[in-house]
Amino acid sequence: MSNLQIGLAIAGGVVLAAVVAHGAWSSRRNTPRQAQPEPNRDAAADGPREPVMGDMVFDNQPMSVPSLARRSAMDSLIDVIATVALDGPTMVVSGEAAIAAMPATRRAGSKPYAIEGYNVHTQAWEAPMPGQRYSSFQAGVQLANRSGALNEIEYSEFVVKTQAFADAINATPEFPEMLEEVARARELDQFASAHDAQLGFTIRARNASWSPGYVQQNAAHLGFVAGGIPGRMVLPASAQGMAPVLVLGFDSQAALAEDPAQSAIRDIALHLDVAQVDRAEQPFERMREVAAGLAQTMDGVVTDDNGQLLTAQTMDQIGVELQTLYDTLEQRDLAAGSLLARRLFA
């Protein structure tokens, strides 16, 4: 073989090696970033899940009710309440009879509907339970929620359901005046609509995309746990049973892919439902910290829903406005994170 042939062979080998190297580099660049093995994290992987709230349901959102509460869960601030008096001062109704008489659904139109009995033994208002005895009852329907204000048709359904319950247990209901309650519902709905804040940040990848495992691993380092649906993680509140402080979401199809490691995620969303989270949790401050932390570790940027970069000045202004909102809600006895606020803003 001549020197020329040897030179051409070497040059060809160099070119081939360069092509192979470039292909490998391109492949690595386009492959979603993967989660890295971490020792002793098996327990964490099987650990806490999204909080499961109590068994009282409003607007299809489970709501926790403190197990030691001694007063009614209904409140005239956000509920229409009708008294249901038994026909006789010494009469009592068993829990089984009350349950059998209750309507099949716990809604009047789009509004939550509930019946409570006054337990003669515990002297507390509660949803009727087997084995208990009740000396009186009350029925309530919520004045407003995120679906709007209670209207005349929904009020009429509330009356029909309550009257049927009263007839079944030999009792007499007494209802507030409809037009007054509907007007009160509209006023409450106007207040709620003007003070309902839901904040969203988006973390977008600068260069390489992310795999679901990579997102989950980095979010877990900041305290997030798996949510109830694919592509959702939550930052739990400090008190068990409360709504999560923050919700992190990404493409559910990527999470459900046959090979999630090859699923490419280019953005994730952080969500804060202000009225649902106690002010003491400092949810917005934690939202900023989480967003900054994820952006730094995952090589991303923080934007709004329209893709505009969020500056520190913009976030500071949002924080100031939120403090005013918290004060307003508290002045109305609807403090963020309270049971009444969680029901109204649901």
Side-chain angles (χ1 to χ4, degrees), residues 219-231:
H221 289 166
L222 296 175
F224 284 81
V225 298
I229 59 176

Side-chain angles (χ1 to χ4, degrees), residues 28-34 208-211 260-265:
R28 285 196 300 272
R29 183 179 181 184
N30 294 326
T31 299
R33 296 188 179 188
Q34 305 296 320
S209 59
W210 310 311
S211 69
Q262 298 305 312
S263 298
I265 299 171

Side-chain angles (χ1 to χ4, degrees), residues 56-63 106-107 109-113 142 144-148 342-346:
M56 190 170 192
V57 177
F58 294 97
D59 194 27
N60 291 328
Q61 299 291 326
M63 292 295 173
R106 301 294 186 269
R107 306 190 75 77
S110 64
K111 305 302 179 293
Y113 171 88
Q142 198 163 307
N145 56 18
R146 280 177 173 157
S147 68
R342 300 201 317 270
R343 289 177 53 200
L344 177 61
F345 296 95

Side-chain angles (χ1 to χ4, degrees), residues 26 30 43 52 74 122 136 150 157 174 279 285 321 326:
S26 298
N30 294 326
V52 178
M74 299 179 195
T122 63
S136 61
L150 181 78
E157 185 177 343
E174 183 175 347
R279 183 181 196 173
E285 291 78 4
E321 293 174 359
Y326 284 130

Side-chain angles (χ1 to χ4, degrees), residues 91-117:
M91 287 188 61
V92 294
V93 173
S94 68
E96 289 81 357
I99 292 170
M102 292 176 72
T105 62
R106 301 294 186 269
R107 306 190 75 77
S110 64
K111 305 302 179 293
Y113 171 88
I115 291 176
E116 293 180 335

